[in-house]
């Protein structure tokens, strides 16, 4: 087995976005494209010789080919050991768990999360550091810089490693351990939650449905919910990961998880429904004919955290991304703990968790998690909800409505405009910025603008500054509209409009969010000139 040094030409488009490098499969299949990016990672992280790397992905199209390439490159770059999930599978939270548990140097996760898969879909890759979390911007920026000048990469000439059974292999001087991708993660969940209480709940006539959306969470849900907690096998649907996710869009929201939504809104609906995304880090929580917004879900978990054994001592603090509603802030205030507002993207939570400043984190984009790993975690959120329901024995709707009576309701919705021409989308943002100085004190119907800005964040731990993280229009009554361009889309530009209004009066808590937010929605259209600038006034996805 010889190490080959291959001469290569740089690509100019390998800039990691909100969560790693995501491109069409066909882009990754170009000769040397993946290799250049992987070598750029290895050059920048400069792992000591003999270091251990974790490797796995969400099983989407090109996962297996990419794993073989990365294994051979790791061997040629001096790694001593790679822990790879059986079949090349590791959910994103499980990868984070394995990186931490075995105190490895870090890991490479292959996923484009909730983006569609298959030959014509997306592929993605990111590096996570030894804390189990996504590499911070200073590392991803350095990887991008390296990718622009790279001239060679190292790869071992060797046969492929069989990935379908657990076991140990050698690749040059490196060991490859094919590990059970589920076991370590399932053990961690059993340590955090009251499995006995959940088992009792599931045997008490309580019915649930978990939709793995033909993606990576299937094997995890089967092992934990069915094998360890005794839920009937049909409680987990679409549980076999497929390279094209069954042709679906593995994003757990009301639009893309419609199969589950129809079941939960049917006549004979189960008591609880949940779904997760392509790589298993997102979650959607549903009750019988009831949708829990991710912002509310974070607040409910925070308010009831002590019911779960892993959080019985209480929370150090909570963090939420800026566009996420302030529902969790109200809980934090009552608990007397700090609440941090960070830019969009899980990587901003890592420093706060490492410093012991926060225990729970969440994003409005169906992401919730805690310091048990350094990624958001779909099944974790589902188990946390089940643990709370097992103790409280209330329906999801009752639990949520009682929460609103206590804390008030942050009525919330996000409108996405996908596939916009990039210039028109940035034109909308420019136009909004140009209005900053004239907006304060302007009255729009029943709302008056208090302030507006482009969100900027100074990390309280390392003082790094992230600017231009989304335009905020804040109103005097605490309501707000946020405009932001997506950093994960691969097709044109996606404009996200986040809408939030605070409603303290319980007699209005039954209102549908779109109804309750109607006036703010029309103000957003007026302010942004969206229709005039893009020709569009109907969102692609409403969550
Ligand atoms: C989206 C979400 C963001 C999340 C990211 C990765 O990023 O909005 O909250 O962290 O996916 O799952 P965006 O496309 O908005 O940049
Ligand atoms: Zn994901």
């Amino acid at each position: 087995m010889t190490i080959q040094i291959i001469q290569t030409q740089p690509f100019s488009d390998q800039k990691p976005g909100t969560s790693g490098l995501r491109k069409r499969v066909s882009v990754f299949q170009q000769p040397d494209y993946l290799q250049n990016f992987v070598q750029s990672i290895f050059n920048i992280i400069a792992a000591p010789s003999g270091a251990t790397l974790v490797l796995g992905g969400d099983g989407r199209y090109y996962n297996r080919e990419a794993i073989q390439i990365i294994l051979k490159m790791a061997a040629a770059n001096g790694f001593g050991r790679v822990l790879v999930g059986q079949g090349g599978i590791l959910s994103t939270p499980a990868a984070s768990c394995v990186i931490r548990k075995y105190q490895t140097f870090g890991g490479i996760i292959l996923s484009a999360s909730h983006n569609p898969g298959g030959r014509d879909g997306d592929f993605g890759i990111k590096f996570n550091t030894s804390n189990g979390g996504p590499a911070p911007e200073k590392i991803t920026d350095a990887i991008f810089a390296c990718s622009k000048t790279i001239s060679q990469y190292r790869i071992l000439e060797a046969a492929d490693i069989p990935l379908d059974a657990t076991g140990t292999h050698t690749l040059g001087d490196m060991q490859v351990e094919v590990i059970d991708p589920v076991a370590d993660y399932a053990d961690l969940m059993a340590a955090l939650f009251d499995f006995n209480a959940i088992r009792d709940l599931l045997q008490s006539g309580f019915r649930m449905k978990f939709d793995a959306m033909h993606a990576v969470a299937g094997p995890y849900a089967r092992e934990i919910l069915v094998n360890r907690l005794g839920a009937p096998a049909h409680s987990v649907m679409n549980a076999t990961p497929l390279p094209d996710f069954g042709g679906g869009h593995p994003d757990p929201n009301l639009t893309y998880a419609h199969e589950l939504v129809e079941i939960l809104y049917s006549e004979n609906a189960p008591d609880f429904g949940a779904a997760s995304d392509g790589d298993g880090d997102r979650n959607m929580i549903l009750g019988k004919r009831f949708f829990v917004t991710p912002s509310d879900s974070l607040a409910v978990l925070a308010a009831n955290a002590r019911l779960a054994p892993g959080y019985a001592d209480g929370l150090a603090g909570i963090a939420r991304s800026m566009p996420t509603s302030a529902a969790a802030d109200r809980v934090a205030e009552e608990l007397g703990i700090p609440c941090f507002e960070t830019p969009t993207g899980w990587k901003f939570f890592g420093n706060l968790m490492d410093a012991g400043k926060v225990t729970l984190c969440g994003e409005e984009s169906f992401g919730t998690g805690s310091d048990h790993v350094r990624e958001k975690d779909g099944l974790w959120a589902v188990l946390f909800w089940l643990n709370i329901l097992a103790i409280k024995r209330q329906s999801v709707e009752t639990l949520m409505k009682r929460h609103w009576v206590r804390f008030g309701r942050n009525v919330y919705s996000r409108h996405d405009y996908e596939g916009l021409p990039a210039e028109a989308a940035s034109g909308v943002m420019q136009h909004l910025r140009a209005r900053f100085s004239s907006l304060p004190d302007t009255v729009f119907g029943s709302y008056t603008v208090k302030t507006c800005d482009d969100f900027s964040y100074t990390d309280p731990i390392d003082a790094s500054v992230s600017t231009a993280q989304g335009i905020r229009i804040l109103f005097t009554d605490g309501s707000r509209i946020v405009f932001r361009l997506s950093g994960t889309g691969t097709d044109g530009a996606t404009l996200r409009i986040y809408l939030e209004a605070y409603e303290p009066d319980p007699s209005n808590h039954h209102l549908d969010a779109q109804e309750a937010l109607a006036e703010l929605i029309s103000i957003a259209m007026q302010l942004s000139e969206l229709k005039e600038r893009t020709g569009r006034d109907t969102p692609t996805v409403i969550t």
Side-chain angles (χ1 to χ4, degrees):
M1 280 188 263
T2 54
I3 292 176
Q4 295 181 299
I5 298 185
I6 311 280
Q7 303 305 313
T8 186
Q9 298 288 325
F11 292 87
S12 59
D13 65 344
Q14 299 198 320
K15 185 175 171 52
T18 314
S19 186
L21 181 67
R22 291 188 194 166
K23 299 282 176 195
R24 291 265 185 256
V25 166
S26 54
V27 173
F28 271 102
Q29 284 173 325
Q30 298 173 83
D32 299 339
Y33 191 88
L34 174 70
Q35 289 85 338
N36 276 14
F37 191 72
V38 172
Q39 188 65 53
S40 301
I41 295 177
F42 290 158
N43 290 351
I44 294 306
I45 64 175
S49 170
T52 301
L53 185 74
V54 174
L55 179 61
D58 62 13
R60 67 178 59 225
Y61 190 85
Y62 200 55
N63 192 63
R64 281 176 178 265
E65 292 86 339
I67 297 253
Q68 298 293 350
I69 292 169
I70 297 168
L71 284 174
K72 291 168 197 171
M73 289 185 68
N77 277 276
F79 282 90
R81 192 165 69 120
V82 176
L83 306 177
V84 55
Q86 186 179 356
I89 293 283
L90 273 176
S91 78
T92 294
S96 186
C97 161
V98 173
I99 291 170
R100 293 168 66 78
K101 181 168 179 179
Y102 298 103
Q103 297 177 359
T104 64
F105 186 78
I108 290 182
I109 302 178
L110 303 174
S111 169
S113 187
H114 49 286
N115 294 10
R119 192 185 294 267
D120 301 321
D122 287 348
F123 189 75
I125 173 168
K126 68 174 178 175
F127 177 71
N128 280 28
T129 51
S130 61
N131 72 347
E137 258 175 358
K138 62 174 188 298
I139 296 183
T140 55
D141 286 350
I143 293 171
F144 177 46
C146 181
S147 76
K148 288 192 284 193
T149 58
I150 192 164
S151 59
Q152 58 182 43
Y153 64 84
R154 297 165 72 83
I155 188 161
L156 194 74
E157 201 177 13
D160 285 357
I161 293 288
L163 293 174
D164 287 320
T166 57
T168 305
H169 308 270
T170 55
L171 203 50
D173 294 334
M174 188 180 86
Q175 265 201 359
V176 178
E177 275 180 47
V178 182
I179 61 167
D180 177 340
V182 177
D184 294 310
Y185 176 82
D187 291 347
L188 177 59
M189 294 302 113
L192 293 174
F193 299 114
D194 188 342
F195 271 29
N196 290 331
I198 300 175
R199 209 175 290 113
D200 288 348
L201 176 74
L202 291 169
Q203 271 157 21
S204 70
F206 177 96
R207 291 183 303 133
M208 70 166 290
K209 204 69 152 176
F210 177 84
D211 187 354
M213 301 190 82
H214 300 291
V216 79
Y220 296 85
R222 262 202 204 118
E223 170 62 16
I224 296 172
L225 297 171
V226 179
N227 298 349
R228 298 201 185 190
L229 291 168
H234 61 76
S235 309
V236 182
M237 61 194 265
N238 300 323
T240 303
L242 300 174
D244 67 347
F245 306 124
H249 192 142
D251 201 359
N253 60 41
L254 294 174
T255 303
Y256 294 126
H258 54 87
E259 198 184 341
L260 176 76
V261 173
E262 275 156 33
I263 294 172
L264 267 293
Y265 280 79
S266 68
E267 194 66 7
N268 186 29
D271 302 287
F272 180 77
S276 71
D277 71 330
D279 60 332
D281 60 356
R282 293 187 171 196
N283 75 90
M284 175 172 69
I285 302 293
L286 298 170
K288 201 186 278 253
R289 292 182 281 280
F290 192 82
F291 166 64
V292 180
T293 71
S295 297
D296 277 339
S297 177
L298 174 64
V300 166
L301 298 187
N304 297 285
R306 283 177 185 269
L307 299 181
Y311 305 91
D313 294 339
L315 308 174
I318 306 172
R320 63 162 174 87
S321 66
M322 179 274 283
T324 303
S325 95
D329 303 37
R330 298 180 185 279
V331 176
E333 200 185 340
E334 191 176 298
L335 295 175
I337 57 174
C339 186
F340 297 84
E341 185 176 37
T342 60
T344 297
W346 208 259
K347 61 186 171 216
F348 293 99
F349 296 137
N351 276 353
L352 294 169
M353 290 192 276
D354 286 350
K357 293 207 175 291
V358 305
T359 312
L360 292 193
C361 305
E363 293 196 275
E364 51 64 41
S365 52
F366 298 84
T368 335
S370 86
D371 60 357
H372 67 291
V373 290
R374 292 293 182 276
E375 290 278 3
K376 55 188 177 251
D377 191 344
L379 258 175
W380 168 90
V382 173
L383 293 165
F384 211 148
W385 267 90
L386 288 172
N387 192 143
I388 293 168
L389 295 172
I391 306 291
K392 293 218 145 196
R393 299 286 170 135
Q394 290 166 3
S395 73
V396 171
E397 181 171 353
T398 303
L399 186 71
M400 196 68 245
K401 290 202 165 146
R402 289 191 185 165
H403 181 96
W404 288 339
V405 169
R406 189 166 154 210
F407 296 99
R409 177 181 176 196
N410 289 72
V411 187
Y412 190 83
S413 183
R414 181 176 109 183
H415 289 194
D416 290 342
Y417 289 82
E418 297 176 335
L420 295 177
E423 271 186 23
S426 60
V428 169
M429 299 297 278
Q430 284 309 331
H431 160 71
L432 285 164
R433 281 191 196 100
R435 296 191 65 174
F436 276 0
S437 57
S438 64
L439 278 179
D441 300 326
T442 309
V443 178
F444 292 93
S446 43
Y447 294 91
T448 305
V449 177
K450 188 174 166 210
T451 53
C452 44
D453 65 4
D454 210 338
F455 182 63
S456 164
Y457 178 69
T458 304
D459 187 295
I461 312 302
D462 66 14
S464 59
V465 177
S466 304
T467 55
Q469 296 294 323
I471 291 174
R472 305 191 290 182
I473 317 282
L474 307 173
F475 298 94
T476 47
D477 70 342
S479 303
R480 58 176 198 161
I481 304 172
V482 174
F483 296 87
R484 209 186 131 260
L485 291 180
S486 158
T488 58
T490 53
D491 178 23
T494 295
L495 177 69
R496 307 201 193 283
I497 306 180
Y498 310 81
L499 305 134
E500 176 178 356
Y502 182 60
E503 179 53 86
D505 180 359
S507 68
N508 289 329
H509 285 170
H510 65 284
L511 285 178
D512 170 69
Q514 303 308 315
E515 257 173 71
L517 294 168
E519 191 180 350
L520 270 186
I521 295 169
S522 81
I523 295 171
M525 299 309 284
Q526 194 186 330
L527 272 172
S528 61
E529 297 182 354
L530 188 68
K531 175 113 195 251
E532 295 81 339
R533 289 170 180 277
T534 67
R536 302 254 299 266
D537 62 357
T538 312
T540 334
V541 178
I542 296 182
T543 49

